[in-house]
Amino acid sequence: MTQHRRVTRIAGLLALPVTAALVLAGCSGSGSGDAGGDSNSFTFTFATSNNLESPYETLAKEYMQQHSGVTITTNPTPNDKYGETIRTQLQAGNASDVIQTTPGSGDARGIIPLAQAGFLEPLGDTATKLIIPGSESVYTIDDKVYGQPLDFTIGSVVASLGTLKMKGLTEFPTTMSDLDSACSSLQGQGASLLALAGAAGPNVGLTIQGISATRVYADTPDWNEQRAENKVTFADSQGWKDTLQAFVDLKQAGCFQPGAEGGGFDAITNGLAQGTSVGSFIPSGAAVEIAKAAPAEAEFAVEPFPAAKSGKEMILGSSNYTLSINAKAKNKQGAEDFLAWMAEPAQQQRYYELSGELPVSAFDSLDLTGTIYAPVADLLKEKKYTPLPNNIWPNPSVYEALQTGGQGLLTGQTSIDQVLQSMDAAWGN
């Protein structure tokens, strides 16, 4: 694989609305069986951002190898139009049997609105058992599960500890004071602590959400629930004000690379692979891809972003992608069998190897010593993580307001108060 193709693959991962790759778990469905199609064939649609073979494609091929006579027709679909495309296909009645979805309502391919529209088939007990306790609401309607959790993704800073050491720093900053000092030292060497794709809304959004873990959710884990009950607002939340202020402070302190507001995903991939930036807020599995394009001594790790002074440590951690079965699938039994196969430990381990994301069924019990996750292993065991906020928000417009507002903060065209007010307006009552 050439370096150009590696970078393209990484950019694709980073472009995903939440983060990036997925780890396969599974569910045994509760559908009505074969709906009239060929019992040995079914279709599978998923989002893609490049022309490289995705983990979905790889596992579909391996399923066919292990199940003689079965044919899976895969339909990779451009990520930037995936939500719109999938909804159009579902409305027309010609969507695939198995489709990639996301938890909650905050994304165009979200489970909840699709299930409410009658497009998805209820799933069975295996899917229910894979749901992380406390996050049931983003998978269920009336106690019926409509999406199978696939991964456990950490939304924090993927950092090159090798680059850090080459720049004369011994460890990733653990306090904001240390972070400011590191930014100053690196800036003096023509480098940056963080790489930011400021022109790409999803990376701006993930960066701000990553900061919010310590400023909002560490003290108020149920903040989203309170917002849904109109007990709090973004505009009146000191935690959200502190989150956006920290984002602005990073810009002003030179923690981002020069011209970050106009940076694309190549600013991240090239910066981390070439050693001009130490880290970036990207999905944890992207570290595996970046490592392929970087020198062996780069030594990537997933590091927590420092809490505010006297604050509590917290990271983002949640399942960011799911698989669902089309309510009008031609081969529901084939789809159910495929998802059940994905639930098996061998397939979970296989995808862990392919993507670098943690398996949703065992992420907090794995021995992560010596892996990229070692710096956050204790936080996972102590359950100091919070779901990706936009998975829980009621519609995609709230996250879009955060992304565009964050870009406005980088260019000085908007204020913190304006961003938070726009998020409240997008939320509605």
Side-chain angles (χ1 to χ4, degrees), residues 45-49 75-82 85-86 89:
T45 293
F46 50 85
T48 184
S49 299
N75 299 308
T77 301
N79 183 68
D80 57 350
K81 296 184 181 299
Y82 183 82
T85 300
I86 252 323
Q89 292 174 346

Side-chain angles (χ1 to χ4, degrees), residues 6 8 48 51 76 96 101 108 191 203 211 224 229 239 272 322 358 369 372 386 423 426:
R6 287 171 180 159
T8 301
T48 184
N51 60 358
S96 290
T101 50
N203 187 240
I211 299 171
N224 290 322
E229 296 171 0
L272 270 60
T322 48
L358 293 170
T369 305
I372 63 172
T386 187
M423 293 173 71

